[in-house]
Structures are given as structure tokens and as C-alpha cells.
Amino acid sequence: MVRRVTLDLEVSVSPIEAIRVFRELAEEAGWSLERHEGSRLVDRFAIIMPMAQSARTLGVKILDGPLKGTELTCWSETRGSAGAVNIASWLVPGGHDQPQSLLMIQHWVARFSRCPWRWSFGERSKVGYLLPVWRKSRKAFTSLGFDTSKAGWPYSLSTPWPLS
């Protein structure tokens, strides 16, 4: 069985907000959508032993247009004893490094109410202040071309949406 190549991003925004922004972008472009819900098996660490746990997933898939087949699935998982890390998983046919898909991800980030790669001190402390999640998230957004320094937010674009 072939594993699908996804771009998984740890984000500070809720899964509901991430899906809502994606849906708004697709609706503005006039693309039809398909919603889906499901569950995903995630690991939760209890002291030193991992325990399998189920996480509820929300997702939206584009059914037509130039980004046909693009899918965003989001969920929250509890890695330790408290708090949750929100994950947005992008599945883009042909890869996420195409210009059209990168433009959509940039517009997706620009419409958030808060910076998706930055968490508050309280959020980090509740989940685990020294977890590698926080740096990994910033590195993932940097590799997509975002300025993840303090001056990089709010993120604004000069290119219009929807795609022509």
C-alpha cells in the first residue's frame, strides 16, 4: 500500500477555524466541496509508555477547479497529560510545492485571526514547554516561504484571491 504524501502542520488555531478559512477560500473561488468527518489513531504518552487514542478529524476536499483533489484534514491530539496540539494535514495532488497550492496555503495563513506558528506561554506550558513541536512548526512554515520572525505577523499578500 502506498502512503499518501501529506504536509502536516502543527498550528495554534483551532481545527474548526482552519477548516472554516479553507472553506471560505474555496467558496470564493467557486469550487464545489465535500466535507468529511472521521477518526485517526494518535499516540498519547502516559509517563513513559505510549497509549493509542482516537482523535476526531474534520476535513474538506475540493471537487473541481485547478486544485481538484486538494484536501485539508484537521484534528487535535493530546500529547501529554493535558492540553492539545492542533494539526492541519494538507493533501495536494502533485505535491504542495506547486505555485497554485502554495498560493492557497499563503492565503489560508493570511486570513487567520492569530499567528498559526506562535503559541502563548500558557498554551505551551499546558502541553509541554520543551516539546520539539514548537520549533518544528516554525521550521515547517519557514520552509513554505513564510517569515516566522516576530515582524512576520500579520501576514499580508499582494496577490489577489481567487486564482484566475
Side-chain angles (χ1 to χ4, degrees):
M1 185 164 100
V2 178
R3 184 174 173 261
R4 299 189 298 180
V5 178
T6 59
L7 171 65
D8 294 341
L9 300 170
E10 285 91 357
V11 293
S12 62
V13 296
S14 72
I16 294 170
E17 183 179 1
I19 293 292
R20 180 187 53 81
V21 170
F22 180 74
R23 181 182 48 80
E24 288 173 356
L25 286 169
E27 287 174 351
E28 285 178 20
W31 302 329
S32 57
L33 299 170
E34 176 184 87
R35 296 178 182 167
H36 58 84
E37 290 185 31
S39 64
R40 180 181 179 100
L41 201 59
V42 296
D43 286 332
R44 178 178 181 177
F45 286 89
I47 304 183
I48 58 169
M49 192 168 100
M51 297 175 7
Q53 187 178 33
S54 179
R56 180 175 170 234
T57 62
L58 301 170
V60 176
K61 183 177 184 177
I62 297 174
L63 299 176
D64 57 6
L67 293 175
K68 178 181 178 180
T70 299
E71 187 175 344
L72 176 65
T73 306
C74 299
W75 67 92
S76 291
E77 63 180 71
T78 304
R79 301 245 169 117
S81 59
V85 175
N86 304 320
I87 299 174
S89 179
W90 287 86
L91 175 65
V92 182
H96 64 273
D97 52 351
Q98 297 177 31
Q100 290 180 332
S101 59
L102 277 176
L103 185 64
M104 181 158 195
I105 293 172
Q106 290 172 347
H107 278 278
W108 180 70
V109 167
R111 292 188 182 203
F112 284 139
S113 59
R114 63 182 285 195
C115 183
W117 56 81
R118 198 170 295 135
W119 287 262
S120 69
F121 178 78
E123 290 169 330
R124 289 177 74 163
S125 297
K126 192 173 187 179
V127 176
Y129 198 78
L130 298 175
L131 284 177
V133 170
W134 322 121
R135 180 154 172 76
K136 182 181 164 191
S137 176
R138 262 194 19 243
K139 286 175 102 175
F141 278 103
T142 301
S143 71
L144 290 171
F146 292 97
D147 177 14
T148 57
S149 66
K150 291 200 183 248
W153 188 259
Y155 185 73
S156 59
L157 287 167
S158 59
T159 56
W161 185 262
L163 301 170
S164 56

